[in-house]
Amino acid sequence: MGGMTGLVMAGLLGTSGVAWSLDVGDVKQEWTAEGRKLAAERIKLPAYDEMVRIQAGPFTMGSDKKTDKNAYLVEMPQRSVYLDAYEIDKYEVTTVQYLKFVLATNRPPQVDWKFDGGNFQETMVSHPIMHVTWYEADEYCKWAGKRLPTEAEWEKAARGETDTRIYPWGNEMAGLSRANFGRTGLSGPVRDRPERLLLYPPIISVFKYDNAASPYGVFQMAGNVAEWVSDWYDKDYYKTAPDKNPKGPDKGSQKAFRGGGWIDSTPSVRVSQRNGTDPKTSMNWMGVRCARDAKAGDAPETAPAQPIVTP
């Protein structure tokens, strides 16, 4: 099924539960007094917490093998689905945003915050948060006055309305200038230095690749980190999902995630690509983006850009 690169890597790094020692996810960090003081200053840094309003209306959900040769059965059938208006984060949740949550809820530092008494490196200030479980992602969004987006909301924000584009920017293949992902496998710096898989991966700032934003102007819906969504994952859900505001199955054993991460291959960063994993999974390729219901009288609704036609 889709996202095989990510799932294989997940198995190597811990999703299977048999090789947690290969990742740093089982290491616990602690604050020092000086570290907390520095963190209290760090939360004043830019957080890139803008949101984009997505107008109410239908969009084309799922894939058609005739137009997308990389489509998987879990993405079919392709059909029109109506969503009420909502807002979604313009960028992936950053380390600064998550640090505010950590301090406000008296949590320990993230596993990769191992500098200056529990802080992240200065170069990580505008990077997406990673190593968050579904439960932590859900708690963060609720703390921020938001919620996790549904699969359908995530997909509409990435694709637009009637355009059946394969990637957020159109049908042109992803490449070095559009997304941070593994392309045909692991990206160069990781392939050349596999020990980096155990440490800090090649994550980039959330505002990069403005040439690859979705029709609504949402950044990095492909690559960098994969993003948790609210739905329980069911490989057959697109066959039975309602045509209005689908929210996923009532129960399950895995939670869905979307968008692909820095380790993933080309098929895994398509807008319709679906995957699921244990909600307790905490990996260096998994992050979060939040959403919230739109309210009457909010900012004007954002219409998607004109469809991009590519050969």
Side-chain angles (χ1 to χ4, degrees):
M1 60 176 291
M4 188 56 66
T5 302
L7 291 180
V8 169
M9 188 60 64
L12 290 175
L13 295 183
T15 300
S16 65
V18 298
W20 279 108
S21 61
L22 293 179
D23 191 22
V24 295
D26 55 347
V27 179
K28 302 300 181 183
Q29 303 292 346
E30 294 184 1
W31 292 109
T32 66
E34 290 302 314
R36 281 187 176 276
K37 290 181 180 179
L38 177 58
E41 292 299 314
R42 283 275 182 88
I43 61 175
K44 301 175 184 178
L45 294 170
Y48 299 97
D49 55 2
E50 300 104 303
M51 299 192 78
V52 173
R53 179 173 170 126
I54 311 296
Q55 63 189 17
F59 83 105
T60 303
M61 184 177 80
S63 293
D64 183 342
K65 195 72 172 181
K66 294 179 181 178
T67 56
D68 182 358
K69 65 180 181 180
N70 288 316
Y72 294 93
L73 289 176
V74 298
E75 305 161 18
M76 301 176 192
Q78 187 176 77
R79 58 196 174 92
S80 179
V81 170
Y82 180 95
L83 297 181
D84 292 336
Y86 63 99
E87 296 181 17
I88 194 166
D89 287 342
K90 184 175 183 178
Y91 307 104
E92 294 167 325
V93 172
T94 66
T95 53
V96 172
Q97 287 173 286
Y98 201 79
L99 175 60
K100 295 178 181 180
F101 166 65
V102 167
L103 293 182
T105 56
N106 196 31
R107 295 168 184 259
Q110 288 295 98
V111 63
D112 46 343
W113 297 357
K114 55 184 69 177
F115 304 89
D116 301 319
N119 287 276
F120 43 79
Q121 293 169 283
E122 290 186 14
T123 55
M124 296 164 61
V125 166
S126 59
H127 287 188
I129 191 63
M130 57 186 185
H131 277 126
V132 289
T133 67
W134 182 90
Y135 298 104
E136 290 168 334
D138 182 57
E139 290 172 4
Y140 166 78
C141 289
K142 290 176 178 177
W143 172 85
K146 307 176 186 180
R147 57 173 173 77
L148 287 171
T150 64
E151 279 203 82
E153 287 173 335
W154 191 99
E155 191 169 325
K156 182 177 181 179
R159 169 173 274 168
E161 294 181 351
T162 59
D163 186 357
T164 57
R165 62 183 61 197
I166 298 172
Y167 303 100
W169 52 84
N171 292 331
E172 184 177 307
M173 291 286 285
L176 291 169
S177 65
R178 292 190 184 274
N180 180 30
F181 71 109
R183 296 164 188 91
T184 58
L186 298 180
S187 54
V190 177
R191 183 176 62 247
D192 298 337
R193 295 177 54 196
E195 71 275 12
R196 288 198 64 183
L197 289 172
L198 313 182
L199 302 172
Y200 191 72
I203 300 294
I204 62 171
S205 297
V206 298
F207 54 79
K208 297 292 186 180
Y209 298 120
D210 57 351
N211 64 323
S214 81
Y216 293 102
V218 183
F219 279 56
Q220 293 183 16
M221 302 295 273
N224 215 17
V225 289
E227 301 166 15
W228 288 114
V229 292
S230 63
D231 306 36
W232 287 108
Y233 178 73
D234 177 355
K235 64 182 180 63
D236 296 319
Y237 184 65
Y238 274 27
K239 298 176 182 178
T240 60
D243 293 332
K244 183 175 181 179
N245 298 321
K247 299 183 183 301
D250 293 333
K251 58 184 179 180
S253 60
Q254 296 183 325
K255 283 292 186 176
F257 62 91
R258 304 295 296 255
W262 58 270
I263 64 171
D264 280 305
S265 59
T266 303
S268 300
V269 296
R270 297 172 301 110
V271 296
S272 56
Q273 168 68 26
R274 304 178 61 226
N275 259 317
T277 190
D278 188 319
K280 295 180 181 178
T281 299
S282 171
M283 302 304 300
N284 59 8
W285 48 264
M286 187 79 84
V288 59
R289 184 189 307 263
C290 303
R292 67 185 175 199
D293 296 345
K295 298 178 180 178
D298 283 349
E301 294 184 341
T302 302
Q306 292 298 312
I308 298 176
V309 179
T310 56

